[in-house]
Amino acid sequence: MTEFSTNQDLDPAKLRNAFGVFPTGVVAVAAEVDGSPTGLAASSFTSVSLDPPLVSFSVANTSKTWPDLRRAKHLGVTILADHHGEVCRQLAGPVERRFDGVAIKASDDGAVTLDEGLAQFDTTIYREVEAGDHIIVLLELHAVEHPQAGNPLIFHRSGFGKLAV
Ligand SMILES: Cc1cc2nc3c(=O)[nH]c(=O)nc-3n(C[C@H](O)[C@H](O)[C@H](O)COP(=O)(O)O)c2cc1C
């Protein structure tokens, strides 16, 4: 059995490595803000509740995009497909190029989703919970589409992978 030593130095790099052992999917959280598509990639997405329908993701307190994004009436959430590795990097890169060459749709309420995602959700912010250096954002679902067959993009140990089916 693993022995836990006390007073471990839980430095961020060590924690990041340990957290990265847990594989996740990746979503794009996006909306039209002041007429421009605005958004980011997030691997912290998870389903939370069926009634009411809720999902969550965590956003860093340092995010420059979140203060704009949270002003949108509705937020789109798209589950990225396994061919979205580059798109995902782009959604985490320079703000002005995040949606270059990416096929997107905006709803009347401003939720932005990616056409080629595996599933798309139309959401509004249900609650924001302070959580250390992140904010846990609970999103209420208003509509869901999952038209695409296919496999999700997997984020694991800081790299992208695919499901071995
Ligand atoms: C695979 C992947 C997953 C990410 N997951 C998150 C996340 O869950 N929460 C978060 O705040 N940032 C996450 N990021 C970083 C954001 O996409 C973005 O780069 C970061 O928020 C900085 O940009 P901003 O200042 O516009 O928010 C992730 C990046 C990548 C590539």
Side-chain angles (χ1 to χ4, degrees):
M1 209 179 83
T2 307
E3 292 279 337
F4 287 108
S5 54
T6 52
N7 299 320
Q8 280 190 37
D9 179 15
L10 296 178
D11 74 83
K14 196 167 166 182
L15 279 178
R16 198 187 293 271
N17 280 340
F19 291 166
V21 169
F22 186 65
T24 65
V26 189
V27 298
V29 183
E32 261 190 347
V33 180
D34 302 333
S36 304
T38 304
L40 49 79
S43 56
S44 52
F45 172 86
T46 192
S47 55
V48 173
S49 164
L50 294 175
D51 187 16
L54 301 174
V55 299
S56 74
F57 78 103
S58 302
V59 64
N61 292 336
T62 52
S63 172
K64 293 195 173 68
T65 299
W66 181 243
D68 286 331
L69 208 45
R70 69 188 294 287
R71 292 196 281 118
K73 203 168 161 202
H74 280 225
L75 298 177
V77 174
T78 305
I79 298 182
L80 299 186
D82 59 4
H83 61 85
H84 275 141
E86 273 306 305
V87 167
C88 179
R89 294 269 181 226
Q90 200 173 308
L91 286 167
V95 170
E96 61 283 359
R97 293 210 296 275
R98 286 191 181 173
F99 293 90
D100 283 5
V102 183
I104 55 173
K105 262 190 209 51
S107 73
D108 290 346
D109 291 319
V112 168
T113 51
L114 278 61
D115 292 352
E116 293 184 0
L118 293 189
Q120 290 90 359
F121 301 100
D122 175 34
T123 79
T124 52
I125 297 174
Y126 180 82
R127 200 160 295 162
E128 291 177 73
V129 183
E130 285 181 22
D133 57 14
H134 279 62
I135 301 163
I136 301 170
V137 183
L138 285 163
L139 297 171
E140 180 162 9
L141 306 184
H142 301 284
V144 54
E145 276 188 51
H146 48 94
Q148 305 286 344
N151 290 319
L153 183 66
I154 305 291
F155 189 57
H156 184 230
R157 293 191 197 272
S158 306
F160 297 124
K162 298 183 180 196
L163 281 180
V165 184

